[in-house]
Amino acid sequence: MINLKNVCLAALLSASAVTATAGGLLTNTNQNIAFNRMMSREASIGIDGVYFNPAGVAFMKDGHHLSINLQTAWQTRTIENDYALFNYNVKNPTTPRKFEGKAFAPVIPSFQYAYNKNRWSFQANFALAGGGGKCKFDNGLGSFEKVVANIGFLGNSLAPYLNGILPVNPNIANPATGTMGGYGYTYDSFMRGRQYYYGLSVGAAYRINDHLSVFGGVRGIYATCNYYGYVKNIAFVGNNGAKLPLSTMVDRNDPESSDIELNTDQTGYGFTPIIGIDYKTGRWNFSAKYEFKTHLCLVNQGTVITPVKKLNAIGENLAAAGVPVQVLQGISPAIQQAKENINELIAEYDPDQNHKDAGDIPALLTLGVGYSPIDALRINVGFHWFDDKEATSGYNWTKADGVTQERVDRHKNLKRGTLEYNAGAEYDVNKKLTVSAGWQNTSYGLSDASMDDKSFVVSSNSVGFGAKVNLTSKMSLSVAYFHTFYKHKKTTEQVSDKLTYTADYTRNNDVLGVGLDIDF
């Protein structure tokens, strides 16, 4: 038989899990269309090198160089969850269930500029270093429904005492007792996240000789995010579709007392020191760049609404419904524990917690090798290492005693940092046209504990292709498209001795872009 106390506890302590995040470990590296069409630019020498190979820009001709880039991206995030209690959802009594989030960014701009004079190159770059759009789940998430399904299980365990108020459905098997005669559940849910990390970098490269150049610079980051989500209108459904709102157990005088809602903004800023080196010899080019960790604190401004302050009223209302004292005493510790866990769950977004959340951008090392066997053909390979484990991403939260604080660090659950490998080639068909294509593999050091449907990444392979057209001797137009093929990451959670909750995470991503490069 299912452990009633554990399931009741899971239902109550999860009742405010409406936190929502966008993004994750991903740092935006598609900051120029040259990358989109070739995927490997770490060892290339061009205006896009202001981001990919800033030391190499010193080898460009004297004068002003400008790159203007516009991209459009659309993405689907899909999580398939399997949970036996989902079968009690009267609107959709099926499991497994897919929850899909749609993200669309119509315009993602970026600009690179360099002024070269003699041995010096003075550079600036503006782009979205992270985030770049909105993602929404019109029907919420599986983790949201798991909360409601657990609450539905609690209602079924109390069916003998609630039957006088809400007649059981004789055609539903009660999951708490295994006999016929139980309740279904219904609810409304929604989640939306928006995240933009604006990055402006400035720096200078110096060409030491005809073979070697170095770079030093700094990037300023300004983050602005918004998260909105809710779980509302939770109700038990009995015979002939009759409903008993959960709010009658929380605060019978407030029909919204069991609703859970989040609407909060986060803002913060940080700085990233950057160094680079480039070495040319013959038809070969070698480069390296290191971006130090960006320490970023996010300040919450907004509202978090949960029934946590009213949970103590559940016992009183259940007593009025005829639930025996010994049953109420059995769930009292679960209610108290629920308050503590709810405090933890909302802490990241709750302005009342009076703290700043850490959202560091990890340090990044890039290496590149380029080779040109003939003048018209250039072949590149590259490597990225993101030091995710050492980038703090978490928050403090106050326990139910109001004094004790604990720390949550998301990245500590990772097995290692992110590794990326890429390769690409471009070929000058003639003086006017260059075609290119490339590939990149991204491998995250994910563990089961690091996966969360409110914010997740999965390893992938990306393929891009495109063309550059020389409009004049000083102006060229690039167009490109790349698609990312994401892998699947599966996790299993043991909710009780007989209940498991599984998740299968994946994504789908497309980016189309156009860029204009000008020398003057």
Side-chain angles (χ1 to χ4, degrees):
M1 183 174 177
I2 296 173
N3 187 312
L4 174 61
K5 180 178 179 181
N6 287 344
V7 176
C8 292
L9 173 61
L12 291 168
L13 64 84
S14 302
S16 69
V18 190
T19 55
T21 58
L25 300 179
L26 183 64
T27 299
N28 292 346
T29 56
N30 55 313
Q31 298 191 16
N32 189 283
I33 305 306
F35 170 84
N36 294 22
R37 63 180 174 83
M38 190 174 171
M39 307 304 289
S40 183
R41 297 293 297 179
E42 289 72 29
S44 293
I45 294 176
I47 183 58
D48 62 289
V50 171
Y51 173 71
F52 297 102
N53 179 21
V57 179
F59 290 107
M60 295 180 67
K61 294 180 180 180
D62 282 2
H64 300 272
H65 309 275
L66 175 66
S67 182
I68 304 170
N69 303 271
L70 299 174
Q71 302 181 57
T72 299
W74 53 100
Q75 184 181 102
T76 301
R77 304 182 186 188
T78 304
I79 311 103
E80 183 175 88
N81 298 117
D82 192 2
Y83 193 45
L85 296 183
F86 283 175
N87 287 313
Y88 290 84
N89 183 331
V90 296
K91 294 181 180 179
N92 188 2
T94 60
T95 189
R97 186 91 48 77
K98 283 187 177 181
F99 296 85
E100 285 192 346
K102 301 290 186 179
F104 178 63
V107 179
I108 305 173
S110 64
F111 307 90
Q112 289 83 40
Y113 168 78
Y115 172 65
N116 285 17
K117 182 67 174 179
N118 298 325
R119 293 181 179 273
W120 287 94
S121 175
F122 302 96
Q123 307 171 21
N125 176 53
F126 173 80
L128 288 170
K134 301 177 182 179
C135 184
K136 66 176 182 177
F137 290 79
D138 290 330
N139 297 311
L141 293 164
S143 60
F144 296 5
E145 179 158 357
K146 185 181 72 168
V147 170
V148 180
N150 288 342
I151 293 173
F153 184 93
L154 173 62
N156 274 285
S157 68
L158 298 173
Y161 313 105
L162 299 179
N163 191 37
I165 302 173
L166 179 69
V168 298
N169 186 334
N171 299 316
I172 292 181
N174 189 317
T177 63
T179 61
M180 296 303 293
Y183 300 129
Y185 65 83
T186 185
Y187 75 111
D188 297 313
S189 184
F190 176 81
M191 198 278 294
R192 181 189 67 232
R194 184 195 73 227
Q195 187 181 62
Y196 294 95
Y197 280 42
Y198 298 101
L200 175 63
S201 63
V202 293
Y206 181 72
R207 191 174 72 250
I208 298 173
N209 53 45
D210 291 342
H211 301 283
L212 181 66
S213 64
V214 294
F215 171 85
V218 64
R219 178 186 300 119
I221 297 288
Y222 175 72
T224 174
C225 314
N226 173 265
Y227 307 105
Y228 175 72
Y230 61 77
V231 174
K232 296 181 178 180
N233 304 321
I234 302 171
F236 306 122
V237 181
N239 199 27
N240 297 321
K243 294 183 180 180
L244 175 63
L246 177 64
S247 60
T248 60
M249 297 184 184
V250 178
D251 184 349
R252 66 183 70 185
N253 299 314
D254 181 3
E256 298 180 355
S257 60
S258 65
D259 292 348
I260 309 158
E261 186 174 4
L262 162 75
N263 187 10
T264 190
D265 295 306
Q266 287 186 337
T267 58
Y269 63 90
F271 297 94
T272 311
I274 306 169
I275 56 176
I277 188 170
D278 187 275
Y279 180 75
K280 288 170 52 69
T281 177
R283 291 186 174 273
W284 291 88
N285 191 54
F286 304 87
S287 72
K289 181 185 70 168
Y290 186 76
E291 299 184 1
F292 291 81
K293 181 178 72 174
T294 309
H295 181 58
L296 197 68
C297 286
L298 301 174
V299 179
N300 292 301
Q301 295 178 328
T303 58
V304 178
I305 303 172
T306 76
V308 63
K309 296 179 180 179
K310 298 184 178 181
L311 285 179
N312 289 331
I314 289 180
E316 176 185 339
N317 291 318
L318 290 177
V323 178
V325 173
Q326 61 269 27
V327 175
L328 298 177
Q329 290 175 340
I331 67 171
S332 179
I335 294 175
Q336 181 64 21
Q337 183 66 37
K339 294 175 65 176
E340 182 171 300
N341 283 271
I342 288 174
N343 282 340
E344 178 184 4
L345 288 166
I346 67 174
E348 184 177 2
Y349 305 102
D350 190 352
D352 293 336
Q353 290 274 1
N354 239 351
H355 67 269
K356 297 179 180 180
D357 300 335
D360 293 351
I361 299 174
L364 166 63
L365 172 67
T366 71
L367 303 173
V369 178
Y371 177 64
S372 179
I374 57 175
D375 291 345
L377 177 63
R378 293 165 294 282
I379 303 170
N380 284 4
V381 294
F383 169 76
H384 302 160
W385 172 64
F386 296 87
D387 193 9
D388 298 316
K389 281 183 68 66
E390 297 305 317
T392 303
S393 177
Y395 51 92
N396 297 319
W397 62 281
T398 303
K399 299 184 73 172
D401 59 16
V403 178
T404 307
Q405 283 202 336
E406 291 194 2
R407 180 74 182 167
V408 174
D409 289 317
R410 299 186 195 88
H411 290 181
K412 296 301 181 183
N413 294 320
L414 297 171
K415 297 178 181 178
R416 55 166 172 78
T418 301
L419 304 177
E420 286 187 328
Y421 305 88
N422 59 47
E426 59 179 358
Y427 178 71
D428 300 329
V429 178
N430 51 47
K431 292 183 178 180
K432 288 288 187 180
L433 177 65
T434 297
V435 295
S436 55
W439 155 87
Q440 178 169 278
N441 172 266
T442 301
S443 175
Y444 294 103
L446 301 173
S447 65
D448 286 1
S450 66
M451 300 300 292
D452 184 339
D453 60 3
K454 295 176 288 295
S455 177
F456 72 90
V457 292
V458 286
S459 298
S460 63
N461 284 280
S462 297
V463 177
F465 60 90
K468 181 177 75 171
V469 179
N470 294 319
L471 304 176
T472 69
S473 61
K474 293 184 177 294
M475 186 181 299
S476 63
L477 179 71
S478 291
V479 293
Y481 165 81
F482 79 83
H483 178 79
T484 302
F485 300 88
Y486 287 94
K487 298 180 181 180
H488 288 253
K489 174 68 176 178
K490 298 181 180 181
T491 63
T492 300
E493 174 191 349
Q494 195 69 37
V495 179
S496 70
D497 56 350
K498 292 187 178 180
L499 276 177
T500 58
Y501 176 77
T502 66
D504 184 340
Y505 301 88
T506 192
R507 293 189 183 195
N508 188 64
N509 188 70
D510 297 272
V511 180
L512 181 66
V514 59
L516 183 67
D517 295 347
I518 306 171
D519 299 326
F520 55 96

